[in-house]
Amino acid sequence: VYSTGSELKPPYLGDSFFLNAFTMPGVILSYLKMLLWPTHLRADYLIGPVDSVGGYVVSGIGLVVLIGAWLWVLKHRFVQRNDLLPAMALGWFLCFLLPVMNLYPIAHPMAERYLYIPCAGLFVLLGLTLNHLSDRLPTRMRAAFTGSLALSLAAFIALAQAQVIQCESSLSLWKQAVRCEPGSALAHGNLGAAYQDQGCLNEALVQFRRSMTLRPTPAMELNLARLKGEMEGSQDESIAAYEKTLSNLPPDSLDLPLMHHGLAIQLRKAGRLKEAIASHQKAIELKPNHSICDTKAMKAYWSLLMWQVSLVRD
């Protein structure tokens, strides 16, 4: 949902497969904490490579917990009781996490959406565990046990409702993300865009500049240029930024169609209609089936350009 630009192959954490692989068990521990008590959900997670003794200890503990849990389940449930379901549930969780464990580098080493399928296995295992505990409790304590589960469920519902409230608007969502991850360039950039949509241009400028300080990118440079043009009532700076970015992009960049389309919009706002049409045609030539060229809004934009040109000619 949130655009971070095209990344064909992001680097490994720490530019090292070893550091990257040693970091991810700690990420799985964070996933377990998130599933069992989701009090720290947010729109972006900053994951850095282990660079301290404490980080190595946490990752080592994570690796021991994962391997040890699976072996224990296999021994005590499958080997001794011929019950494969717990081992399959834990295996489901780990196997479906494997593709997003950054063994092949991906743009976001940790994200809540990666848990949608894996969590089914963990919740099956949790249900089996709770059922086993309930069977072993004395009858007089089962009511209290059931009551505690009901209270936990109520707490989960309350936490979920709190998260829904945070997601009611982009502004509240990214404000929370910046509070939780003040070092996230993505969070600051999206908060700036939310402020800009609300017309709070000075606040947007602060967030865009912070994002550029954390991680300079061509997309954020363009955001800054567009915002400054909007604040000054001039498109010259934005047009110059687009042209500079286009000149620096490689010929096979996936960003070229969108950049040409964005330049066309800025040229139209500046009244340079013929140049806008040429830039828009270039975007279509580069990627004629790009999603942005198939929308009704794109066709309406093209019609508006042609209509404005016809007025100028008349």
Side-chain angles (χ1 to χ4, degrees):
V1 176
Y2 309 108
S3 175
T4 59
S6 299
E7 294 180 88
L8 293 179
K9 185 180 178 183
Y12 282 117
L13 297 174
D15 289 325
S16 165
F17 176 81
F18 173 77
L19 289 177
N20 175 87
F22 207 81
T23 299
M24 297 317 289
V27 172
I28 296 184
L29 287 184
S30 297
Y31 282 146
L32 292 172
K33 177 184 175 183
M34 185 188 302
L35 288 171
L36 295 175
W37 195 244
T39 58
H40 63 303
L41 306 181
R42 51 188 177 270
D44 190 34
Y45 293 86
L46 288 182
I47 304 299
V50 290
D51 57 0
S52 64
V53 174
Y56 282 103
V57 169
V58 170
S59 288
I61 291 173
L63 196 59
V64 170
V65 167
L66 293 173
I67 296 175
W70 207 349
L71 292 176
W72 187 90
V73 168
L74 282 173
K75 177 183 177 182
H76 289 272
R77 301 301 301 183
F78 178 58
V79 175
Q80 295 182 359
R81 304 188 183 185
N82 199 28
D83 183 3
L84 188 57
L85 184 57
M88 289 180 61
L90 184 56
W92 177 285
F93 176 72
L94 296 175
C95 288
F96 277 97
L97 269 185
L98 192 62
V100 293
M101 280 292 96
N102 212 39
L103 300 179
Y104 180 89
I106 56 180
H108 303 97
M110 180 177 178
E112 293 162 13
R113 63 185 179 275
Y114 297 159
L115 291 175
Y116 292 166
I117 297 177
C119 71
L122 190 67
F123 288 156
V124 168
L125 183 62
L126 182 61
L128 293 171
T129 302
L130 292 175
N131 184 65
H132 177 71
L133 290 174
S134 177
D135 290 342
R136 293 175 65 90
L137 288 173
T139 304
R140 64 180 182 278
M141 295 183 62
R142 290 182 183 177
F145 182 73
T146 304
S148 65
L149 291 180
L151 288 175
S152 299
L153 179 60
F156 269 77
I157 293 172
L159 289 169
Q161 181 61 29
Q163 291 298 316
V164 169
I165 293 173
Q166 289 288 349
C167 297
E168 284 182 344
S169 70
S170 293
L171 189 60
S172 61
L173 173 69
W174 291 109
K175 275 185 176 180
Q176 184 206 29
V178 167
R179 285 195 300 269
C180 294
E181 291 286 9
S184 169
L186 172 65
H188 283 283
N190 279 298
L191 179 57
Y195 273 128
Q196 189 174 6
D197 290 341
Q198 297 286 331
C200 305
L201 302 186
N202 290 324
E203 290 85 349
L205 185 62
V206 170
Q207 297 301 325
F208 284 155
R209 283 175 172 167
R210 178 59 179 159
S211 182
M212 276 291 289
T213 300
L214 292 168
R215 190 180 67 183
T217 63
M220 191 49 58
E221 186 177 346
L222 290 174
N223 284 340
L224 267 173
R226 284 196 296 264
L227 179 61
K228 289 178 180 178
E230 185 176 346
M231 296 176 74
E232 298 169 4
S234 170
Q235 302 303 127
D236 293 341
E237 188 171 354
S238 182
I239 291 171
Y242 267 102
E243 290 174 340
K244 176 184 175 182
T245 302
L246 281 167
S247 66
N248 292 330
L249 287 175
D252 58 347
S253 172
L254 297 178
D255 288 324
L256 278 173
L258 290 178
M259 289 297 175
H260 278 288
H261 172 64
L263 175 59
I265 292 176
Q266 302 305 315
L267 288 167
R268 183 187 68 79
K269 290 180 179 179
R272 297 158 60 176
L273 301 183
K274 291 184 179 179
E275 294 174 80
I277 288 177
S279 186
H280 180 65
Q281 286 175 329
K282 183 65 174 176
I284 295 177
E285 290 170 6
L286 287 168
K287 196 75 172 178
N289 294 322
H290 198 285
S291 60
I292 200 168
C293 301
D294 296 332
T295 63
K296 293 180 180 179
M298 189 66 237
K299 294 176 182 177
Y301 170 73
W302 175 255
S303 300
L304 176 62
L305 271 179
M306 299 304 294
W307 175 70
Q308 288 182 308
V309 169
S310 67
L311 287 180
V312 172
R313 287 175 180 170
D314 294 342

